[in-house]
Amino acid sequence: MRRLVLVFVLAVAACSGGEPQLRFDDAVPGDLRELAASTWDDLLAALPARHGCIADVDLVSSRELDAPAAYRADEGLILIRIPRTAGQLEQSLVHEFAHHVEATCAAHAELRPAFLAAQRFPPDAGWFDATTWETTPSEHFAEATVEAVLGRRIRNRDVLITDDAVEVVEAWGRGR
C-alpha cells in the first residue's frame, strides 16, 4: 500500500508540472549552486503568480566569459562568470533570470506597456531594440527585477530605475 501511495504522489507531482527548476552543469561549484538555488527561490517568491509560465533553466559557470553573465534564450541557458563576490553573482543571476522570464513567459507581454510608461519610455519603444544596452527596455526590466527581488543593486547603477517600474514588476509578479 505504501508503494502505491508513493507512486501516486510521484505521478501527481509529474503531471502538475510543479515549480520551474534551475538545473546545474556538473562543473558548477557547490558554493555557486547554493547561492544560485537560493537566488532562484527568491525570484520565484517575488513572482508567485508566474510560476506556471516560467520554463526550467540551466546554469553553467565560466572563467572565460567576457561579460559578468549572459542568457542564451534559444538554449534556455545562463552563463555566469566566476570567480566573483556573492553580491555580484547574486545580482547577475537575478538579471539573467529576468531575461529568462521575459523569454519563456508569454504573459510577460502584459507588463510591457505599464513598464515602458513607468520607466518613461515612449509607448512604441522596441522592447529589445535600442542604440545602447543602457537604453534598452529589456535591460531596464532586468535591472528593475533585480531591485524587486534583492531590494538593491550594486552594479549598473547608471541605469536609473524608477520606483514605479519596480512596482510594475512586483505587481505583475503577484498577478495584478
Side-chain angles (χ1 to χ4, degrees):
M1 178 66 164
R2 191 177 296 194
R3 180 183 228 166
L4 181 60
V5 171
L6 178 60
V7 169
F8 176 75
V9 169
L10 292 174
V12 169
C15 291
S16 68
E19 297 287 311
Q21 298 298 305
L22 173 62
R23 299 177 299 232
F24 301 98
D25 179 77
D26 290 341
V28 175
D31 57 345
L32 177 55
R33 284 175 191 250
E34 289 178 28
L35 178 68
S38 174
T39 305
W40 179 251
D41 289 345
D42 291 344
L43 175 89
L44 294 179
L47 306 175
R50 305 303 170 181
H51 295 189
C53 67
I54 300 171
D56 295 347
V57 66
D58 295 308
L59 182 71
V60 174
S61 58
S62 171
R63 294 182 183 275
E64 290 82 35
L65 192 63
D66 290 335
Y71 176 62
R72 294 185 183 161
D74 57 328
E75 299 175 59
L77 179 69
I78 294 172
L79 298 147
I80 191 151
R81 185 178 68 213
I82 57 172
R84 294 174 43 229
T85 68
Q88 291 168 332
L89 289 166
E90 187 178 48
Q91 181 169 326
S92 291
L93 286 163
V94 174
H95 182 102
E96 301 309 328
F97 291 159
H99 287 313
H100 179 68
V101 168
E102 73 185 347
T104 64
C105 186
H108 184 267
E110 298 168 5
L111 85 71
R112 292 178 183 181
F115 187 85
L116 290 171
Q119 270 302 97
R120 297 171 184 81
F121 281 107
D124 61 345
W127 191 256
F128 300 104
D129 303 323
T131 55
T132 66
W133 180 92
E134 295 84 1
T135 60
T136 304
S138 170
E139 298 301 338
H140 283 237
F141 166 73
E143 289 298 299
T145 302
V146 170
E147 288 194 23
V149 172
L150 302 178
R152 61 174 164 52
R153 290 185 300 143
I154 57 174
R155 65 177 186 92
N156 302 330
R157 305 236 357 123
D158 53 332
V159 175
L160 300 177
I161 302 299
T162 67
D163 291 342
D164 290 344
V166 175
E167 289 175 17
V168 166
V169 171
E170 292 171 342
W172 178 78
R174 291 188 305 271
R176 296 187 195 144

